[in-house]
Amino acid sequence: MDEYTISKVWPSDSATLAKVDALLEREGIQRDANLDYTCVIQDDDMNVIATGSCFGNTLRCLAVDDRYQGEGLMNKLITHLMDVQYERGNTHLFVYTKVGSAKFFCDLGFKEIARVDGMLVFLENRANGFSSYLRGLEATKHPGTAGAVILNANPFTLGHRHLVEVAAAAVDTLHVFVVSEDASLVPFAVRKKLVCEGVADLNNVVVHDSGPYIISSATFPSYFLKDDAKVNEGHARLDITVFERIAAALGITRRFVGEEPTSQVTGIYNRVMLEELPRVGIEVTVVPRLAIDGAPVSASTVRRALQRGDLERVRALVPESTYRYFASADAAPVIERIRTAGNVAHY
């Protein structure tokens, strides 16, 4: 094992990446389109005999050639990738792996969070990470029926408000999860603030951070980065499988989603949700989009109005609390970010 060295693969190194793809394919793995670090171990003839990658705070696309199993190459890869992550400041790590490899990661101290279709296992390197998150949620559990809404709210619009109102009227307690991943044009701290202000008058609504467990770069990177439909669906299934455990902790039996006529990735997510959640006793309700002047209200429309400086159009599409923020000096850096972003629509 000591004779092997690990090399970084640059995105421009198409020859080595082709060998990475070939090894992954033999192991039944498709290389993710969105990776920010890839490394390999090669033999004397420059054949790739082991590979691993990172994206955000996740380890993925891990494989060792069958002929080199038992030589400690996977352990060497994982140690290297964890060092890369720690150098980046990422200490809470997640890994996707095949079911057959899960025990290896558990032996390294990773803890299983969820399994998908008996083929994929999702783990983290904290023994009490997800369980601690669930305990925090359980403290907000109330008697009676419970529902859930998950919002990115980039930013919070009258459409989001309509969805929350409809859902809150149908259950005793509505749990609203705000996507914590800071990959949107409107920062998480602002998005959560606007959600909290926008639902403050609804007494049965509880607002939560989603943490790294709901629509995050760990569970559902396709929400933030363009991927093909097959990859989107795989990520959606993982995210929904994790949500099932969250729902169990809170006694959630209904999930409410907005109708999605334009976003491909959200449309796929909603379709998978409609297939999977009823199997575990969670009813999915698709709420028709709120329309103003014959057009559905969307955060993309609000971002486009902000991009061109049309605050009057923004005011027509958002709650007063959201408008007050964007009309204030505090919003200047966010508006500038939106103005220089190019395409502000969600694919």
Side-chain angles (χ1 to χ4, degrees):
M1 179 180 71
D2 293 337
E3 64 189 89
Y4 295 117
T5 59
I6 297 179
S7 303
K8 178 180 178 178
V9 182
W10 296 95
S12 58
D13 188 352
S14 56
T16 302
L17 288 174
K19 295 176 182 178
V20 168
D21 289 342
L23 172 58
L24 292 173
E25 186 175 348
R26 291 197 297 274
E27 294 299 310
I29 302 169
Q30 180 181 356
R31 179 164 58 96
D32 288 9
N34 298 296
L35 298 171
D36 51 34
Y37 182 86
T38 295
C39 65
V40 296
I41 299 174
Q42 296 170 297
D43 64 15
D44 292 338
D45 296 321
M46 302 303 289
N47 296 308
V48 173
I49 60 175
T51 185
S53 297
C54 300
F55 173 72
N57 60 345
T58 64
L59 313 182
R60 53 184 71 198
C61 299
L62 299 151
V64 174
D65 190 300
D66 284 343
R67 295 169 295 177
Y68 294 86
Q69 298 285 346
E71 296 194 25
L73 299 188
M74 182 63 80
N75 200 342
K76 193 176 182 77
L77 278 175
I78 296 303
T79 300
H80 172 76
L81 291 173
M82 291 179 71
D83 286 344
V84 169
Q85 292 283 20
Y86 292 152
E87 288 174 6
R88 295 173 167 182
N90 294 332
T91 58
H92 190 183
L93 305 180
F94 299 85
V95 64
Y96 303 92
T97 189
K98 296 189 297 185
V99 171
S101 304
K103 184 179 182 304
F104 173 84
F105 289 96
C106 291
D107 290 343
L108 289 176
F110 282 78
K111 178 78 171 179
E112 181 175 328
I113 296 173
R115 293 185 175 223
V116 180
D117 296 333
M119 298 186 303
L120 170 71
V121 182
F122 182 53
L123 309 98
E124 64 181 335
N125 69 335
R126 292 184 180 175
N128 62 350
F130 189 46
S131 59
S132 177
Y133 177 73
L134 293 179
R135 285 195 299 273
L137 294 179
E138 287 169 353
T140 69
K141 187 175 180 179
H142 292 82
T145 59
V149 167
I150 298 170
L151 302 175
N152 192 34
N154 183 32
F156 189 71
T157 70
L158 288 173
H160 296 117
R161 167 71 191 201
H162 173 71
L163 171 62
V164 172
E165 279 184 0
V166 170
V171 293
D172 295 313
T173 304
L174 180 68
H175 297 276
V176 174
F177 295 87
V178 183
V179 173
S180 303
E181 188 81 10
D182 234 336
S184 299
L185 289 169
V186 182
F188 167 65
V190 174
R191 288 186 287 108
K192 184 180 179 183
K193 169 182 178 291
L194 297 181
V195 170
C196 289
E197 291 176 353
V199 304
D201 60 312
L202 301 174
N203 295 328
N204 65 333
V205 172
V206 181
V207 179
H208 304 278
D209 298 1
S210 70
Y213 302 108
I214 302 176
I215 308 185
S216 69
S217 59
T219 64
F220 196 17
S222 299
Y223 186 83
F224 308 99
L225 297 164
K226 290 186 177 180
D227 264 315
D228 62 35
K230 183 177 180 181
V231 174
N232 286 345
E233 182 164 334
H235 291 163
R237 290 189 185 280
L238 171 61
D239 191 84
I240 289 164
T241 300
V242 176
F243 173 76
E244 289 172 5
R245 292 192 59 190
I246 291 170
L250 286 169
I252 291 168
T253 56
R254 296 188 69 178
R255 183 161 168 181
F256 300 83
V257 297
E259 185 180 43
E260 188 45 70
T262 58
S263 170
Q264 173 195 343
V265 65
T266 308
I268 291 172
Y269 186 90
N270 287 357
R271 175 177 58 77
V272 173
M273 189 168 19
L274 285 161
E275 293 171 2
E276 297 298 325
L277 289 186
R279 296 176 184 174
V280 294
I282 300 173
E283 178 186 349
V284 179
T285 300
V286 180
V287 178
R289 281 286 188 102
L290 175 71
I292 293 178
D293 297 329
V297 176
S298 74
S300 293
T301 303
V302 173
R303 293 194 299 273
R304 284 194 288 266
L306 287 168
Q307 192 174 51
R308 62 179 183 266
D310 187 354
L311 278 180
E312 284 309 304
R313 179 61 177 157
V314 171
R315 188 169 205 165
L317 300 174
V318 302
E320 185 61 25
S321 50
T322 297
Y323 172 76
R324 281 198 308 269
Y325 168 75
F326 282 109
S328 73
D330 291 343
V334 178
I335 293 175
E336 182 60 24
R337 187 177 179 185
I338 292 170
R339 283 177 176 166
T340 59
N343 182 12
V344 295
H346 186 195
Y347 79 101

